[in-house]
Amino acid sequence: MSNQLFVYIIFQELKKTTAAERYLLIYMIGVLVIVTSLIILFFIIFQKRKNKLLLDKIKQQQAFDAELSNAQTEIQEQTLKNIGWELHDNVGQMLAAASMQMNILKTMIGDDIKENFSEAASTVKESLKEVRMLSRSLNNEVILNIGFEQSIENELNRLKKMKFSTAKLLVKGEIIPFENKKHEIIVFRILQEFFSNTVKYSEAKNLIVKLDYSNNYLNIIASDDGKGFDMDSVKKGSGLLNMKSRAELINTTYNLTSKVGEGTKLELKYPFNNKTEFS
């Protein structure tokens, strides 16, 4: 049956219907259109509210995560500060007293054992220096006083004595101070965590930190020439998670890469217009 014939039949059937039936048909069609429109409108409103609730939930979770990370950072900072004070005030004083006593005893012993005694006294003296340097690197007030670059330099000098053949800092561009001093501490702690992992696991001989100051960003690259590790199979310990969470806390781009036999590299990109605030 052709389309024209079908339309003709429908038209003839409509002519047979009464006016009342036509009005009823139009009314039913109108009601159907209104109901369908209301269902579509309800569905759209429902989806918008659902999306808004999901978005609010995501924002609340992000705020909670940021607050939790901030609280953990503050607790860690206070713990490090307390350890720094303990090292400086107690351990440092005991080593200083031991060094003084050994210097006094040195004058009272025979020449035959004086050389060995001098080596022991020198070891105590060097240990005292190490303790004082470590206590300064753990105290954020000291870090802020001496500056970001000098703090990294001091840390590298300390590590070089302990572990590495070379541990050096390279600075490119004109130095731009951190506006937010808490951000400065956090970036330094990320680097400290990287240094700590390098010392414990990498078996590296050389450690390099590069600071590249541009107009809008501070680009930081810390790398070692150690044994590296497989990024896919390595277990994410608290050290790696701490570095990432601290970077996220201050909106800093974080990238850690490593290959077996090729060392490990940490890249940070800190924006100078960073307005992230936390208590």
Side-chain angles (χ1 to χ4, degrees), residues 44-104:
I44 293 173
I45 294 173
F46 173 77
Q47 282 297 115
K48 285 185 176 180
R49 288 187 176 180
K50 181 181 177 181
N51 292 338
K52 185 177 183 300
L53 288 173
L54 288 174
L55 186 61
D56 289 342
K57 186 176 181 180
I58 292 172
K59 288 181 178 179
Q60 289 174 359
Q61 186 63 43
Q62 289 175 339
F64 174 78
D65 291 342
E67 190 64 31
L68 180 62
S69 182
N70 176 36
Q72 291 173 337
T73 299
E74 291 295 329
I75 292 170
Q76 289 168 353
E77 282 302 317
Q78 188 59 48
T79 301
L80 290 174
K81 184 186 290 187
N82 292 339
I83 294 173
W85 284 337
E86 190 72 20
L87 286 172
H88 184 273
D89 295 341
N90 293 335
V91 179
Q93 287 183 4
M94 286 189 290
L95 285 173
S99 180
M100 291 176 59
Q101 290 172 355
M102 293 189 77
N103 286 332
I104 294 172

Side-chain angles (χ1 to χ4, degrees), residues 62-194:
Q62 289 175 339
F64 174 78
D65 291 342
E67 190 64 31
L68 180 62
S69 182
N70 176 36
Q72 291 173 337
T73 299
E74 291 295 329
I75 292 170
Q76 289 168 353
E77 282 302 317
Q78 188 59 48
T79 301
L80 290 174
K81 184 186 290 187
N82 292 339
I83 294 173
W85 284 337
E86 190 72 20
L87 286 172
H88 184 273
D89 295 341
N90 293 335
V91 179
Q93 287 183 4
M94 286 189 290
L95 285 173
S99 180
M100 291 176 59
Q101 290 172 355
M102 293 189 77
N103 286 332
I104 294 172
L105 290 173
K106 186 178 178 180
T107 62
M108 303 168 61
I109 60 176
D111 293 337
D112 54 335
I113 61 172
K114 193 170 273 190
E115 182 177 347
N116 292 334
F117 196 88
S118 295
E119 290 181 3
S122 178
T123 300
V124 172
K125 188 175 181 180
E126 287 300 313
S127 298
L128 178 59
K129 287 182 181 179
E130 288 295 324
V131 166
R132 286 175 174 170
M133 288 179 67
L134 179 58
S135 69
R136 286 196 292 268
S137 73
L138 296 177
N139 193 325
N140 53 17
E141 294 174 1
V142 174
I143 296 168
L144 293 176
N145 286 335
I146 66 176
F148 182 67
E149 293 76 21
Q150 188 59 52
S151 296
I152 296 175
E153 190 79 60
N154 289 350
E155 191 75 355
L156 291 175
N157 287 337
R158 185 176 70 83
L159 294 174
K160 184 178 179 180
K161 293 179 182 178
M162 290 173 49
K163 176 82 176 178
F164 302 103
S165 300
T166 61
K168 58 185 178 181
L169 172 66
L170 304 176
V171 181
K172 180 181 178 182
E174 184 177 350
I175 293 175
I176 302 175
F178 285 78
E179 288 187 13
N180 191 319
K181 296 303 181 182
K182 287 186 177 181
H183 291 191
E184 179 178 340
I185 295 296
I186 289 175
V187 174
F188 179 73
R189 294 300 183 212
I190 294 173
L191 287 173
Q192 268 191 323
E193 190 69 53
F194 178 81

